[in-house]
Amino acid sequence: MPHFEEGTTLDRFLLDTMRARPGATGQLVTLLKQVALAGKLVNARVQRAGLAGMLGAVGGMNIQGEYVQKLDVYANDTFKRALEHAGVCCMIVSEEDEEQMLIPADYEAGEYIFSMDPLDGSSNIDTNASIGTIFGIHRKVSAGRDGAPADVLRAGRELVCAGYVLYGAGTMLVLSTGAGVHGFTLDPSVGEFFLSHLDIRLQPSTRAYSCNEAYSAQWDPRLQAWLAGLKEPSLGWSARYIGSLVGDFHRNLVKGGVFLYPPTAKARQGKLRMLYEAQPLAFLAEAAGGAASDGHMPILDKVPTSLHERSPLYIGNAEAVARIVEVLNS
Ligand code: AHM
Ligand code: MG
């Protein structure tokens, strides 16, 4: 990989790294540039979300007479619009849409499939806490112009790229093509993402856990016992939970920690989706030296059988994930 310094623009980083890839057509660079553009557009709306009451209630008209969309609908539309005409995707799948979207006939189709949770953590929009767009990118394997579900119903290890845009106190684009995880921070004064976190490594032994502990009585009793054991003060564990997977994952990626969303009585397969949440973040976790499991096998080895399939998720420090798997299989 070429040598980069902090402050490198996202565009230069993409051009220099992707050009070096064997057989590169340039489509992935274009795709990621469009992701950055959509991320900036969504970010602009997220920044004004608190003003929705003044500028017009969601679902109503603002003072310019424009229809004010819900932010998650806006994010879904914005990413799709940024990608459909760029000649880089042959299918887009979204947590917000029941069915996959194919590229309209008047645009050229490309070789990639983009899967996304357009606005993860959407219950946090009103609280000004971190939310984000999570995405995974597959290369098409099926024949013909259009993508097909079989192109994404594959093991997460076959992802070409995964990442997220985090709309938080600052706005970041974090991505990996398998070789390291890199973070770019948006400088709002110039509207560019700059490399700020080169080769992020998941700290192996940091003691922080992120989960909705209110559900713990519904968990597997072995997991409950593990959690109770962490509370021994001499072990030095802390709890950190925002309730936005993307925000919790990012915190743990940068500072160390483990996130868990086990099955509950209401959600027998957990709540999180394989294609839009578990697989992309597992791809990043492993590329940063961490791990992700469903409690029995690595997330990246699981093959989903439907677009919206859910999975239990244990993700973060390799050591902590391994311990959870051990506990669940004891
Ligand atoms: P969303 O994609 O509809 O926002 O739902 C997923 C979110 C995750 O970001 C988060 O980890 C989880 O739901 C929180 O769920 P809970 O409120 O059950 O703790
Ligand atoms: Mg989500």
Side-chain angles (χ1 to χ4, degrees), residues 95 117 119-121 134 245 272 277:
E95 191 189 293
D117 178 353
L119 208 59
D120 176 62
I134 306 174
L245 172 64
L272 303 170
E277 290 161 328

Side-chain angles (χ1 to χ4, degrees), residues 23 44 46 62 101 129 131 139 147 180 185 218 234 252 276 279 305 308:
V46 170
N62 67 15
M101 179 193 127
I131 49 181
R139 188 178 279 117
T185 300
Q218 303 172 46
S234 64
N252 291 343
Y276 322 114
Q279 278 189 341
T305 55
H308 297 294

Side-chain angles (χ1 to χ4, degrees), residues 72 95-96 117-124 130-132 134 211-213 215 241-248 259-261 264 266 271-273 276-277 310 313:
D72 42 8
E95 191 189 293
E96 288 285 328
D117 178 353
L119 208 59
D120 176 62
S122 46
S123 67
N124 269 323
S130 297
I131 49 181
I134 306 174
C211 62
N212 192 332
E213 209 168 337
Y215 304 152
Y241 190 67
I242 302 169
S244 283
L245 172 64
V246 66
D248 285 308
F259 174 96
L260 43 152
Y261 206 113
T264 61
K266 194 170 122 199
K271 177 181 181 189
L272 303 170
R273 315 277 185 154
Y276 322 114
E277 290 161 328
R310 297 172 197 267
L313 181 63

Side-chain angles (χ1 to χ4, degrees), residues 148-168:
D151 289 315
V152 289
L153 300 178
R154 292 153 69 186
R157 293 200 191 284
E158 294 179 43
L159 282 162
V160 172
C161 176
Y164 54 82
V165 186
L166 179 73
Y167 315 108

Side-chain angles (χ1 to χ4, degrees), residues 50-61:
L51 297 172
M54 281 182 250
L55 301 177
V58 164
M61 294 283 185

Side-chain angles (χ1 to χ4, degrees), residues 110-308:
E111 60 182 300
Y112 293 103
I113 298 100
F114 188 76
S115 312
M116 64 170 161
D117 178 353
L119 208 59
D120 176 62
S122 46
S123 67
N124 269 323
I125 294 171
D126 297 343
T127 67
N128 211 5
S130 297
I131 49 181
T133 303
I134 306 174
F135 62 89
I137 301 170
H138 282 93
R139 188 178 279 117
K140 183 175 186 300
V141 285
S142 63
R145 172 190 181 271
D146 296 328
D151 289 315
V152 289
L153 300 178
R154 292 153 69 186
R157 293 200 191 284
E158 294 179 43
L159 282 162
V160 172
C161 176
Y164 54 82
V165 186
L166 179 73
Y167 315 108
T171 301
M172 283 190 75
L173 173 59
V174 175
L175 60 85
S176 177
T177 52
V181 177
H182 311 291
F184 300 81
T185 300
L186 180 67
D187 180 341
S189 62
V190 288
E192 281 280 357
F193 282 102
F194 293 94
L195 182 60
S196 53
H197 296 64
L198 181 65
D199 199 14
I200 306 171
R201 305 301 296 166
L202 238 158
Q203 299 305 315
S205 56
T206 310
R207 301 189 158 199
Y209 66 84
S210 311
C211 62
N212 192 332
E213 209 168 337
Y215 304 152
S216 60
Q218 303 172 46
W219 297 353
D220 184 307
R222 292 166 291 188
L223 200 58
Q224 294 184 38
W226 168 80
L227 185 70
L230 303 189
K231 293 175 182 168
E232 162 54 45
S234 64
L235 295 178
W237 281 80
S238 288
R240 293 283 183 275
Y241 190 67
I242 302 169
S244 283
L245 172 64
V246 66
D248 285 308
F249 177 83
H250 182 74
R251 200 215 76 89
N252 291 343
L253 181 67
V254 173
K255 296 205 132 185
V258 63
F259 174 96
L260 43 152
Y261 206 113
T264 61
K266 194 170 122 199
R268 305 306 265 173
Q269 289 305 314
K271 177 181 181 189
L272 303 170
R273 315 277 185 154
M274 278 292 285
L275 279 185
Y276 322 114
E277 290 161 328
Q279 278 189 341
L281 297 185
F283 189 82
L284 294 173
E286 285 205 12
S293 171
D294 70 350
H296 301 284
M297 66 190 288
I299 290 287
L300 292 184
D301 290 336
K302 276 182 88 161
V303 179
T305 55
S306 64
L307 296 181
H308 297 294

